[in-house]
């Protein structure tokens, strides 16, 4: 009798304890978008490719299917429906190479490509039979992003992403008095000029239009042109001079109300892109790069976009492709990688499909020589020719594997500083300790 | 003369029937639970997808509580956020639910189409948390319809931005939780009120008690067990709050709650750490478990009335005197 009672008590206690704790990890699922799988993943020769949107798939469906119809039939494409949750999803699936949806090839974004490149998940390009001659035409900075500590090239990029500032022509005419590319370039040639330009827009519009939607528009320009990444080779967290300059710019913008303080990719940010400056608020300029110009601008920017150089030479984003360590068919992986990232003619056809600035010097030169059209560009400007000189000399040595997470911790401190809640030293110190808190192997000096 | 009757024991079949539950429970809940305690004592982190782990005793707990130099007790800030958001949601929720439960069960309040009212109060909790978060974010963003309306009416200043203000963001998260869950709480309380014997109300009516007296003297005291249940389940759910705050006003990774980390809850923190430092994440989970346990026990202590305790003591005494069953 006693025994039974004890058992019953223990069981009740155990169930009770479970009620208290278990759901902490279990609730994650609901907040993630569902995967979309196309193709027959159960087929014996299925070749699985992972990405977070339809970019890769469109190229596979278009030029690739035409060039390699037999290979194309075997492709299973998994779209995770968003870049922000991509790592969580992919990490779980990479643990088991025998899984049906284990990727043979996967897309990797700049913000976290180094995590996979420096880990044990990927095959090197050399193992697939891709040689340095094959990717000789690629931009050097993209190769840096795909190379591990030991110098093995693992991820190859099909797009190069030189950054710029995009200006809406009708608003520039109205508030800055010109649509001349050279004059506008001058207005954006230094940070002081940009502040002056922003004040000018404020004055001319009376506050219904501002130069930028939010001060974070300048974040990528500062961060992706800085000399030092978020931590040095001894894993000591560091804040580059560029980043403190950015904080100062943010503070000035906040105090003088030079922007609407929106966050990139949020509703208000999009609203300012579509606004007209009279009945609704509008932003005159957005930080840009090739994929942004052809893919992210709204209707108000059609035949209405002028591209100018930013004060610093920077890159923004970019997608790499890499074969996994357990890739079932390395020949096929090599064929796809070469098609996407090495061979000139296929890469010209990729540009024809989506207007992208492909990561192949010979191909972009060809494209520029032939002349390009992009429905968003105002007047005579040629998009690829404009980006061409800016792609040389980009330095991506500042990228780290943890950039995505560290950047969001950084944003928090920049906001606090800009709003006057903290002084600069406190904000920087708080940033460092919060990075150390999340990544215990990174140290505060 | 003693007669020996052979008893048929059906008990063992009972165990057979409950076995599937306990087996699944042991594999999928109890084992991970024990593991969490174990992981919390490992220096277990991931870098570039490689995992490193070694035993480190209570190091993780010292780190998260800021007891070691160079470490800050971030977890306390996230507990504070969680408590504020939970409190601002729970207190109004229990008050409104009580009022609704009283109205919906009182025949003197001639509420028309009661069924419909019950369904409507329950409806918000049917919608997925994800959609509600996105919807509210759109409604209350800088140019959202509600923000614009409030500005035009002069209720909020023209430069006010809900998503830039800690109070605004926390308040909205609390409101969403309140709005989603008050229907559920109301239903629980209604079932509690309906369980109270109508004789008591009748007797009170005969004695000439008014509605207020009946509510405070009969309904409320007799609702205590149900209230206790609501309080404890809400505390457990509230402290583990994740989906709404993690989708509402956050960094693109979803682990930093804007503004200024002031809408980051403990569960969001656990998820943030889980991707880089499993040991620390487990330590925070264990801490959350302990805090939840303490709070539940406090509720339990204050929720059980003195009479019940006396009754329990009497029963125990009788049992020990009678020598068990």
């Amino acid at each position: 009798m006693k025994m039974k009672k004890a058992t019953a008590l223990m069981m009740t206690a155990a169930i009770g304890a479970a009620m208290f704790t278990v759901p902490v990890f279990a609730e994650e699922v609901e907040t993630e978008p569902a995967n979309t799988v196309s193709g027959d993943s159960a087929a014996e020769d299925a070749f699985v490719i992972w990405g977070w949107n339809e970019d890769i798939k469109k190229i596979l469906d278009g030029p690739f299917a035409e060039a390699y119809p037999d290979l194309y039939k075997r492709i299973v494409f998994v779209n995770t429906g968003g870049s922000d949750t991509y790592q969580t999803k992919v990490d779980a699936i990479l643990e088991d190479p025998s899984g049906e949806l284990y990727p043979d090839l996967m897309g990797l974004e700049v913000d976290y490509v180094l995590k996979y490149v420096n880990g044990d998940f990927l095959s090197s390009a050399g193992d697939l039979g891709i040689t340095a001659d094959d990717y000789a035409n690629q931009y050097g900075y993209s190769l840096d992003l795909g190379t591990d500590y030991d110098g093995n090239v693992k991820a190859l990029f099909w797009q190069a992403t030189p950054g710029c500032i995009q200006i809406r022509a009708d608003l520039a005419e109205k508030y800055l008095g010109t649509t001349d590319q050279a004059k506008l370039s001058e207005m954006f040639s230094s940070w002081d000029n940009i502040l002056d330009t922003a004040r000018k827009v404020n004055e001319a519009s009376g506050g219904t239009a501002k130069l930028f939607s939010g001060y974070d528009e300048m974040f990528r320009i500062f961060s992706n042109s800085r000399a030092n990444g978020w931590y040095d080779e001894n894993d000591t967290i560091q804040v580059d001079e560029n980043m403190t300059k950015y904080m100062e710019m943010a503070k000035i913008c906040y105090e003088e109300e030079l922007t609407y303080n929106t966050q990139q990719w949020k509703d208000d940010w999009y609203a300012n892109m579509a606004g007209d400056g009279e009945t609704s608020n509008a932003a005159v300029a957005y930080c840009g790069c090739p994929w942004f110009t052809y893919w992210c601008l709204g209707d108000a920017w059609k035949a209405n976009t002028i591209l100018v150089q930013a004060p610093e030479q920077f890159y923004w984003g970019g997608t790499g492709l890499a074969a996994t360590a357990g890739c079932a068919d390395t020949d096929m992986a090599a064929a796809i990688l070469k098609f996407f990232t090495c061979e000139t003619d296929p890469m010209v056809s990729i540009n024809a499909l989506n207007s992208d600035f492909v990561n192949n010097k010979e191909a972009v030169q060809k494209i520029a020589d032939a002349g390009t059209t992009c429905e968003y560009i105002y007047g005579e400007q040629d998009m690829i020719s404009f980006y061409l000189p800016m792609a040389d000399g980009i330095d991506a040595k500042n990228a780290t594997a943890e950039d995505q997470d560290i950047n969001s911790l950084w944003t928090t401190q920049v906001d606090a500083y800009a709003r006057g809640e903290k002084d600069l030293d406190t904000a920087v110190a708080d940033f460092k300790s919060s990075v150390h808190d999340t990544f215990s192997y990174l140290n505060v000096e | 003369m003693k007669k020996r009757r052979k008893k048929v024991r059906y008990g063992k079949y009972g165990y057979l029937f409950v076995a599937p539950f306990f087996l699944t429970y042991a594999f999928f809940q109890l084992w991970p639970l024990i593991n969490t305690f174990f992981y919390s004592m490992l220096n277990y982190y991931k870098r570039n997808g490689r995992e490193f782990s070694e035993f480190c005793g209570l190091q993780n707990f010292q780190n998260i509580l800021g007891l070691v130099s160079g470490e800050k007790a971030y977890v306390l800030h996230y507990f504070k956020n969680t408590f504020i958001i939970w409190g601002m949601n729970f207190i109004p929720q229990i008050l409104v639910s009580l009022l609704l439960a009283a109205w919906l069960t009182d025949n003197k309040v001639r509420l028309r189409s009661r069924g419909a009212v019950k369904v409507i109060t329950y409806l918000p909790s049917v919608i997925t948390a994800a959609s509600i978060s996105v919807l509210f974010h759109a409604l209350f963003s800088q140019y959202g319809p509600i923000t614009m309306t409030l500005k035009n009416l002069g209720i909020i200043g023209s430069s006010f931005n809900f998503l830039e203000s800690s109070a605004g963001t926390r308040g909205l998260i609390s409101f969403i939780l309140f709005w989603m869950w008050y229907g559920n709480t109301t239903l629980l309380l209604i079932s509690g009120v309906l369980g109270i014997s109508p004789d008591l109300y009748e007797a009170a009516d005969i004695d000439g008690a008014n509605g207020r007296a009946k509510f405070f003297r009969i309904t409320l005291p007799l609702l205590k067990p149900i209230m206790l249940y609501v309080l404890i389940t809400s505390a457990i759910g509230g402290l583990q709050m994740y989906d709404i705050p993690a989708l509402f006003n956050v960094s693109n990774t979803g682990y930093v709650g804007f503004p200024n980390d002031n809408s980051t809850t403990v569960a969001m923190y656990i998820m943030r750490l889980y991707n880089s430092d499993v040991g620390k994440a487990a330590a925070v989970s264990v801490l959350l478990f302990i805090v939840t346990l303490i709070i539940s026990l406090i509720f339990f202590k204050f929720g059980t009335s003195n009479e019940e305790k006396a009754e329990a003591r009497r029963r125990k005494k009788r049992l020990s005197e009678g020598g068990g069953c």
Side-chain angles (χ1 to χ4, degrees):
Chain A
M1 202 53 81
K2 236 179 195 168
M3 187 62 205
K4 254 187 208 168
K5 240 190 200 166
T7 325
L9 202 71
M10 262 167 58
M11 282 176 170
T12 327
I15 297 168
M19 275 173 56
F20 290 131
T21 49
V22 169
V24 173
F25 282 120
E27 279 185 34
E28 176 196 0
V29 189
E30 221 182 277
T31 61
E32 292 176 354
N35 292 343
T36 326
V37 181
S38 50
D40 176 16
S41 61
E44 194 136 308
D45 59 352
F47 189 88
V48 182
I49 302 177
W50 279 62
W52 55 87
N53 58 26
E54 295 282 296
D55 272 8
I56 300 172
K57 188 169 184 295
K58 278 183 192 152
I59 300 172
L60 291 168
D61 291 347
F64 185 78
E66 226 167 82
Y68 297 96
D70 292 337
L71 294 185
Y72 174 71
K73 276 185 214 140
R74 293 168 49 195
I75 290 173
V76 173
F77 189 77
V78 182
N79 177 359
T80 64
S83 171
D84 299 330
T85 48
Y86 186 70
Q87 292 186 65
T88 322
K89 288 184 172 183
V90 159
D91 286 355
I93 212 99
L94 281 172
E95 276 172 17
D96 176 21
S98 63
E100 191 173 287
L101 285 178
Y102 177 82
D104 294 299
L105 203 66
M106 56 193 278
L108 292 164
E109 201 174 41
V110 166
D111 275 354
Y112 46 75
V113 62
L114 284 168
K115 167 177 154 190
Y116 296 91
V117 165
N118 287 323
D120 304 319
F121 299 120
L122 306 177
S123 298
S124 75
D127 292 345
L128 303 173
I130 300 174
T131 62
D133 284 343
D134 287 326
Y135 49 76
N137 279 328
Q138 291 190 3
Y139 284 97
Y141 89 96
S142 79
L143 282 170
D144 286 343
L145 287 170
T147 306
D148 69 8
Y149 296 134
D150 305 324
N152 300 312
V153 176
K154 288 185 174 170
L156 296 172
F157 288 72
W158 84 74
Q159 48 182 192
T161 55
C164 74
I165 293 174
Q166 308 164 121
I167 302 166
R168 212 172 113 179
D170 60 335
L171 298 179
E173 175 73 62
K174 210 153 130 194
Y175 304 119
L176 298 171
T178 179
T179 55
D180 181 47
Q181 205 261 352
K183 280 187 192 158
L184 288 169
S185 293
E186 177 57 29
M187 293 182 195
F188 288 87
S189 59
S190 73
W191 292 114
D192 286 338
N193 287 4
I194 285 183
L195 285 177
D196 287 340
T197 313
R199 291 179 189 123
K200 211 164 148 186
V201 174
N202 262 19
E203 218 167 281
S205 71
T208 56
K210 308 225 175 208
L211 183 65
F212 293 127
S213 178
Y215 48 77
D216 60 356
E217 218 57 45
M218 298 178 288
F219 171 72
R220 292 284 173 181
I221 309 178
F222 279 109
S223 81
N224 290 2
S225 66
R226 73 197 140 144
N228 307 300
W230 284 126
Y231 55 88
D232 64 14
E233 65 279 4
N234 302 321
D235 290 337
T236 304
I237 304 159
Q238 56 185 5
V239 174
D240 190 269
E241 201 188 335
N242 259 23
M243 301 322 290
T244 41
K245 250 197 253 170
Y246 167 59
M247 292 178 96
E248 297 298 356
M249 282 294 282
K251 194 175 179 69
I252 296 171
C253 287
Y254 187 84
E255 283 175 351
E256 297 187 26
E257 299 182 8
L258 298 179
T259 77
Y260 294 112
N261 304 319
T262 58
Q263 291 157 21
Q264 226 163 28
W265 310 117
K266 296 275 163 94
D267 304 337
D268 304 322
W269 180 80
Y270 279 111
N272 286 328
M273 201 186 272
D276 59 15
E278 281 164 15
T279 53
S280 55
N281 289 345
V284 177
Y286 279 84
C287 177
C289 62
W291 54 262
F292 198 113
T293 308
Y294 73 78
W295 193 45
C296 304
L297 287 172
D299 287 344
W301 294 68
K302 279 204 172 135
N304 201 14
T305 308
I306 303 167
L307 308 175
V308 301
Q309 214 165 337
E312 329 240 352
Q313 201 164 27
F314 70 108
Y315 67 95
W316 185 11
T319 305
L321 270 178
T324 53
C327 175
D329 185 344
T330 47
D331 291 341
M332 178 155 172
I336 297 178
L337 279 171
K338 281 185 183 169
F339 185 92
F340 272 70
T341 69
C342 300
E343 295 165 356
T344 304
D345 289 337
M347 291 175 81
V348 172
S349 68
I350 292 175
N351 167 272
L353 174 78
N354 61 13
S355 314
D356 209 340
F357 190 97
V358 289
N359 186 18
N360 181 323
K361 290 177 190 168
E362 198 185 355
V364 279
Q365 191 60 56
K366 252 186 175 175
I367 297 161
D369 291 345
T372 55
T373 49
C374 172
E375 56 174 336
Y376 289 98
I377 298 295
Y378 172 83
E380 301 290 293
Q381 199 174 24
D382 182 299
M383 179 174 138
I384 298 293
S385 308
F386 164 79
Y387 280 120
L388 202 51
M390 278 186 273
D392 291 315
I394 294 175
D395 183 4
K397 295 230 162 60
N398 47 39
T400 72
E402 294 84 2
D403 275 358
Q404 195 178 43
D405 289 308
I406 298 182
N407 286 347
S408 51
L409 294 170
W410 173 250
T411 308
T412 317
Q413 299 304 331
V414 175
D415 290 348
Y417 174 66
R419 288 174 200 153
E421 291 160 19
K422 285 176 187 173
D423 62 39
L424 190 93
D425 292 339
T426 319
V428 169
D430 285 355
F431 163 71
K432 286 181 177 173
S433 72
S434 70
V435 173
H436 169 69
D437 184 58
T438 311
F439 302 100
S440 48
Y441 49 84
L442 301 178
N443 309 306
V444 182
E445 66 207 358
Chain B
M1 187 177 130
K2 258 187 183 172
K3 201 175 169 186
R4 284 188 81 168
R5 212 190 295 167
K6 201 185 169 196
K7 258 194 197 166
V8 188
R9 287 175 166 264
Y10 288 109
K12 57 185 171 186
Y13 297 110
Y15 287 118
L16 214 61
F17 279 110
V18 295
F21 167 76
F22 281 100
L23 285 179
T24 20
Y25 168 78
F27 275 115
F28 294 108
Q29 301 206 298
L30 191 62
W31 180 239
L33 180 70
I34 295 167
N35 254 344
T36 306
F37 279 87
F38 174 62
Y39 285 151
S40 72
M41 283 181 271
L42 293 181
N43 180 11
Y44 177 2
Y45 66 94
K46 298 185 221 171
R47 183 169 195 184
N48 294 329
R50 296 193 183 104
E51 295 183 352
F52 305 86
S53 80
E54 59 182 358
F55 187 76
C56 70
L58 296 176
Q59 187 71 40
N60 283 324
F61 291 94
Q62 291 173 334
N63 285 350
I64 58 171
L65 292 171
L67 303 175
V68 184
S69 75
E71 304 290 336
K72 272 191 176 180
Y74 282 90
V75 74
L76 298 183
H77 179 66
Y78 302 134
F79 265 111
K80 186 180 133 200
N81 294 343
T82 313
F83 276 117
I84 292 175
I85 295 172
W86 177 64
M88 286 199 298
N89 133 51
F90 185 68
I91 295 165
Q93 183 181 323
I94 199 87
L95 294 178
V96 170
S97 298
L98 258 181
L99 190 69
L100 277 174
W103 279 351
L104 287 168
T105 48
D106 192 339
N107 284 325
K108 282 198 181 141
V109 182
R110 294 185 187 281
L111 207 62
R112 265 199 281 174
S113 45
R114 259 182 218 185
V117 173
K118 279 184 209 169
V119 170
I120 289 167
T121 52
Y122 194 75
L123 266 185
S125 61
V126 176
I127 317 170
T128 4
S131 340
I132 292 190
S133 272
V134 174
L135 175 75
F136 271 76
H137 191 275
L139 288 176
F140 287 91
S141 63
Q142 204 171 344
Y143 306 126
I146 295 192
T147 316
M148 291 312 262
T149 313
L150 291 177
K151 277 181 188 172
N152 291 340
L153 293 174
I155 295 174
I156 55 174
S158 61
S159 63
F160 184 80
N161 184 347
F162 282 101
L163 305 178
E164 249 186 64
S165 127
S166 298
T169 297
R170 283 172 177 164
L172 281 173
I173 296 174
S174 299
F175 179 77
I176 297 173
L177 290 167
F178 160 79
W179 181 68
M180 272 184 82
W181 295 111
Y182 82 102
N184 193 48
T185 310
T186 308
L187 279 197
L188 284 171
L189 293 180
I190 287 176
S191 67
V193 175
L194 292 178
I196 298 170
S197 164
D199 302 355
L200 295 171
Y201 290 104
E202 236 169 75
D205 281 335
I206 291 166
D207 289 343
N210 59 10
R212 177 189 288 237
K214 277 192 286 180
F215 180 75
F216 283 105
R217 305 275 166 128
I218 301 175
T219 315
L220 219 46
L222 290 174
L223 258 187
K224 234 176 184 178
I226 290 283
M227 289 283 273
L228 188 65
Y229 172 77
V230 170
L231 264 169
I232 290 180
T233 48
S234 159
I236 295 166
L239 289 170
Q240 294 177 1
M241 176 179 359
Y242 178 69
D243 41 9
I244 302 273
L247 284 163
F248 184 61
N249 188 14
V250 289
S251 67
N252 52 7
T253 47
Y255 304 136
V256 181
F258 291 139
N260 203 4
D261 226 0
N262 279 340
S263 68
T264 310
T265 64
V266 181
M268 282 163 75
Y269 184 52
I270 293 173
M271 285 310 300
R272 184 199 298 174
L273 291 175
Y274 176 67
N275 289 325
S276 54
D277 198 331
V278 179
K280 216 164 164 183
V284 178
S285 302
V286 169
L287 190 68
L288 180 62
F289 169 75
I290 293 169
V291 171
T292 316
L293 197 66
I294 292 172
I295 291 176
S296 302
L297 286 176
I298 293 173
F299 280 152
F300 203 74
K301 189 168 158 43
F302 287 104
T304 334
S305 64
N306 293 329
E307 289 108 88
E308 278 169 69
K309 276 180 211 148
E311 171 70 21
R313 266 198 300 275
R314 274 199 297 279
R315 224 177 305 159
K316 208 169 166 191
K317 208 172 160 200
R318 269 206 304 278
L319 277 179
S320 56
E321 277 167 359
C325 34

